[in-house]
């Protein structure tokens, strides 16, 4: 079991370093930073309960309950604040039918429909940044039927349009 934990820790460390080089590891819609936070919270929770279990005193149990409640309250407040501000990244993806290339748009949007969109290409659970400009401005996800990805008429690029009207990304066909 310890070997598995060491391998998991090494893998998460590698993916966290790659995150800062614009190579993202995304599983179930969460990037590696969210997985790191979740693993850290679980580790702290287990350590606190082991500490409280050594001596069954009322003070230790009260400390564990207080820390757990404060942590839950802080995480709810943080989640609501990030949702309003637009700091939680979300992902939308689609595969181009002819080339079988999968493109993923990572977007962060606040409640005023403003935010940023960056385009990635998926290779398994890894996302590699495409060589296109990051879009910053207003965009809308309200019409998912308008999502389209296709090869341009001159057959030199792939057009990726996941959002209503803007942004539209043009990726060279290589």
């Amino acid at each position: 079991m310890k070997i598995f934990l060491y391998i998991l820790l090494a893998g998460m460390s590698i993916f966290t370093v790659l995150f800062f080089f614009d190579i993202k590891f995304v599983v179930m819609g969460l990037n590696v930073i969210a997985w790191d936070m979740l693993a850290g919270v679980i580790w702290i929770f287990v350590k606190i309960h082991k500490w409280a279990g050594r001596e069954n005193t009322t003070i230790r149990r009260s400390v564990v309950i207080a820390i757990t409640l404060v942590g839950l309250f802080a995480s709810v407040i943080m989640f609501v604040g990030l949702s309003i501000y637009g700091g939680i990244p979300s992902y939308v993806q689609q595969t181009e039918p002819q080339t079988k290339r999968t493109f993923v748009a990572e977007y962060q949007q606040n409640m005023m429909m403003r935010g940023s969109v960056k385009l990635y290409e998926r290779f398994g659970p890894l996302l590699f940044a495409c060589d296109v400009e990051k879009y910053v401005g207003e965009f809308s996800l309200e019409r998912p039927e308008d999502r389209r990805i296709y090869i341009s008429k001159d057959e030199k690029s792939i057009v990726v349009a996941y959002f209503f009207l803007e942004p539209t990304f043009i990726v060279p066909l290589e």
Side-chain angles (χ1 to χ4, degrees), residues 4-24:
F4 172 74
L5 291 176
Y6 289 138
I7 292 171
L8 180 66
L9 182 63
M12 288 185 75
S13 300
I14 291 168
F15 288 133
T16 302
V17 170
L18 289 176
F19 178 85
F20 295 106
F21 289 107
D22 220 7
I23 299 173
K24 309 254 174 130

Side-chain angles (χ1 to χ4, degrees), residues 114-135:
R114 292 193 50 82
S116 63
V117 181
K118 184 150 175 95
L119 189 68
Y120 293 89
E121 188 169 358
R122 176 181 286 280
F123 293 101
L126 295 177
L127 303 179
F128 292 92
C130 291
D131 194 21
V132 293
E133 292 245 349
K134 180 178 183 177
Y135 175 82

Side-chain angles (χ1 to χ4, degrees), residues 20-39:
F20 295 106
F21 289 107
D22 220 7
I23 299 173
K24 309 254 174 130
F25 176 76
V26 176
V27 176
M28 295 180 352
L30 296 174
N31 62 29
V32 73
I33 300 299
W35 287 109
D36 287 343
M37 286 188 233
L38 183 63

Side-chain angles (χ1 to χ4, degrees), residues 11 16 19 29 51 53 64 73 78 91 102 107 115 117 120 130 137 173:
T16 302
F19 178 85
W51 173 76
V64 169
F73 179 72
M78 184 178 72
Y91 300 91
T102 301
Y107 64 94
V117 181
Y120 293 89
C130 291
L173 186 63

Side-chain angles (χ1 to χ4, degrees), residues 5-165:
L5 291 176
Y6 289 138
I7 292 171
L8 180 66
L9 182 63
M12 288 185 75
S13 300
I14 291 168
F15 288 133
T16 302
V17 170
L18 289 176
F19 178 85
F20 295 106
F21 289 107
D22 220 7
I23 299 173
K24 309 254 174 130
F25 176 76
V26 176
V27 176
M28 295 180 352
L30 296 174
N31 62 29
V32 73
I33 300 299
W35 287 109
D36 287 343
M37 286 188 233
L38 183 63
V41 166
I42 291 170
W43 181 79
I44 290 170
F45 189 73
V46 168
K47 289 294 182 182
I48 287 175
H49 281 282
K50 280 185 180 179
W51 173 76
R54 277 191 233 137
E55 292 179 26
N56 256 344
T57 62
T58 307
I59 295 173
R60 285 191 181 204
R61 272 191 247 127
S62 301
V63 167
V64 169
I65 291 170
I67 289 173
T68 303
L69 290 176
V70 167
L72 286 173
F73 179 72
S75 62
V76 167
I77 295 297
M78 184 178 72
F79 182 75
V80 170
L82 285 175
S83 297
I84 292 170
Y85 175 70
I88 299 174
S90 300
Y91 300 91
V92 61
Q93 75 175 13
Q94 199 169 0
T95 302
E96 200 283 316
Q98 293 177 2
T99 61
K100 305 293 186 218
R101 291 170 66 180
T102 301
F103 292 95
V104 178
E106 176 187 58
Y107 64 94
Q108 296 176 334
Q109 187 178 34
N110 62 16
M111 295 181 85
M112 302 298 287
M113 300 298 193
R114 292 193 50 82
S116 63
V117 181
K118 184 150 175 95
L119 189 68
Y120 293 89
E121 188 169 358
R122 176 181 286 280
F123 293 101
L126 295 177
L127 303 179
F128 292 92
C130 291
D131 194 21
V132 293
E133 292 245 349
K134 180 178 183 177
Y135 175 82
V136 177
E138 293 183 17
F139 58 92
S140 175
L141 287 163
E142 292 179 8
R143 296 176 52 177
E145 65 272 5
D146 285 341
R147 291 184 188 156
R148 59 198 185 284
I149 180 170
Y150 57 91
I151 294 178
S152 64
K153 292 181 182 179
D154 62 358
E155 295 186 359
K156 292 185 179 181
S157 60
I158 297 175
V159 178
V160 180
Y162 291 147
F163 305 97
F164 181 64
L165 298 178

